[in-house]
Amino acid sequence: MKKGWKILTGIAAVIVLLLAVVMFATSGMRSTADDFFGSVKQQDMTKARTYLSEEFKASTNEEALKEFLSRSALLNFKEAKWAESSINGGRGELNGTITTETGGNIPIKLMFIKENDEWKIYAMQKPTAGLQPSESSEASAGTTPKKSATTVPGKAEQIALARQSMHDFALSIKSKNMGHFRNTISNMWQSQFTTEKLNEGYAPIIKADIDLTVLDPLVPILDQEASINQDGVLIIRGHYPTKPSVVSFESKYIYEGVSWKLIGFFLDVK
């Protein structure tokens, strides 16, 4: 019995030690999150942006940040409670609940990245309130590549994303310059491709002299349920009901800042 108690005591000590290590490792994220929302409570967007990652700041100005916080009722911040946290290398995630001054409770997910040995908020997401289409589903919790584990948007949002991406792409193809399209894609993709490189990559479509803006009034048909892969990339595949040629597409997105941004766009006309 004494030996058994010693073993149990040892296991308990290891568990306590592991919990202490996890709490210490995630304390930096919690501190950043609390400081960010402290600035939000003061409606000081300039200070709030100092807790964001460079990519987040590049994709979201103060006005856009405030608009998101206002639309999500987060400007009425009172306090935050963080229930779940996870870390993998230089990335991390916090899941919790924001309580507003009016007594509301809002679930929120924050994704972090290490920059200069400090935790910075890379993206934030609030589940949409109200009735949701059955297509919406929760991706695996945790962070790592699952890297920005988040929620698959509902069918209506998938279609809206696809239509907007096609519209921006069509405008650039029509003008024979991918500058406008490049301004709408993710910062990650922009860092890899200049406008000139995109012009080269999409040269066959540009030279084909196809006016894709005729697709603007049409609603694309999704070929399969959207999914988020292990790298946190949302993949939407579909086609437009056009005749005699069918325009098919595959759009890839990552969650940057407070919205989905393109990281890949493929088109096929048959």
Side-chain angles (χ1 to χ4, degrees):
M1 282 294 294
K2 287 184 178 180
K3 185 177 181 180
W5 276 111
K6 286 181 180 179
I7 293 173
L8 289 175
T9 302
I11 292 173
V14 170
I15 292 173
V16 170
L17 178 59
L18 287 174
L19 288 174
V21 169
V22 171
M23 287 299 294
F24 176 77
T26 60
S27 63
M29 294 192 303
R30 293 169 188 267
S31 177
T32 295
D34 290 339
D35 289 343
F36 171 79
F37 280 107
S39 299
V40 169
K41 186 172 184 178
Q42 301 299 320
Q43 296 201 22
D44 186 347
M45 295 301 110
T46 300
K47 186 175 182 181
R49 289 182 83 247
T50 65
Y51 301 107
L52 308 181
S53 71
E54 290 302 313
E55 282 193 80
F56 194 155
K57 287 189 286 189
S59 66
T60 311
N61 59 25
E62 289 185 20
E63 183 179 350
L65 178 62
K66 188 171 183 178
E67 194 276 333
F68 170 80
L69 293 168
S70 177
R71 187 175 69 247
S72 305
L74 296 171
L75 274 183
N76 201 21
F77 173 84
K78 181 180 180 181
E79 64 178 351
K81 294 181 179 178
W82 307 112
E84 299 176 3
S85 59
S86 59
I87 285 179
N88 187 286
R91 304 187 73 98
E93 183 176 295
L94 278 181
N95 289 276
T97 302
I98 301 298
T99 301
T100 66
E101 292 288 357
T102 54
N105 289 314
I106 303 169
I108 194 166
K109 180 181 293 183
L110 300 181
M111 287 149 270
F112 293 81
I113 191 167
K114 266 279 181 77
E115 288 184 349
N116 299 320
D117 292 327
E118 292 184 354
W119 285 111
K120 297 289 185 177
I121 301 171
Y122 179 80
M124 63 180 68
Q125 186 180 41
K126 182 192 79 69
T128 304
L131 297 175
Q132 297 297 307
S134 59
E135 287 82 355
S136 292
S137 61
E138 187 67 24
S140 309
T143 67
T144 46
K146 295 169 191 170
K147 280 184 180 170
S148 47
T150 186
T151 304
V152 176
K155 187 173 182 179
E157 187 178 350
Q158 292 173 35
I159 290 174
L161 283 168
R163 292 185 75 179
Q164 185 63 53
S165 297
M166 183 63 76
H167 170 73
D168 292 326
F169 183 77
L171 288 179
S172 282
I173 292 298
K174 189 173 184 179
S175 68
K176 301 186 184 302
N177 184 288
M178 301 307 295
H180 168 76
F181 180 71
R182 184 176 183 274
N183 288 336
T184 67
I185 64 179
S186 66
N187 285 287
M188 184 179 291
W189 196 5
Q190 286 185 31
S191 68
Q192 297 168 346
F193 286 86
T194 62
T195 298
E196 290 71 24
K197 285 291 185 182
L198 289 175
N199 287 339
E200 292 176 14
Y202 291 112
I205 302 175
I206 294 174
K207 291 177 181 178
D209 203 25
I210 302 173
D211 184 5
L212 294 171
T213 60
V214 298
L215 300 175
D216 279 353
L218 304 180
V219 178
I221 297 170
L222 302 182
D223 294 335
Q224 62 188 64
E225 289 189 12
S227 61
I228 296 176
N229 67 20
Q230 63 180 5
D231 295 319
V233 176
L234 170 67
I235 303 172
I236 300 176
R237 296 185 179 95
H239 69 277
Y240 282 82
T242 52
K243 294 182 179 181
S245 298
V246 176
V247 179
S248 300
F249 64 87
E250 180 182 274
S251 303
K252 296 184 177 182
Y253 304 85
I254 57 171
Y255 205 83
E256 270 188 1
V258 294
S259 61
W260 290 104
K261 296 293 182 71
L262 267 177
I263 195 170
F265 187 79
F266 305 91
L267 192 73
D268 188 23
V269 181
K270 293 182 178 180

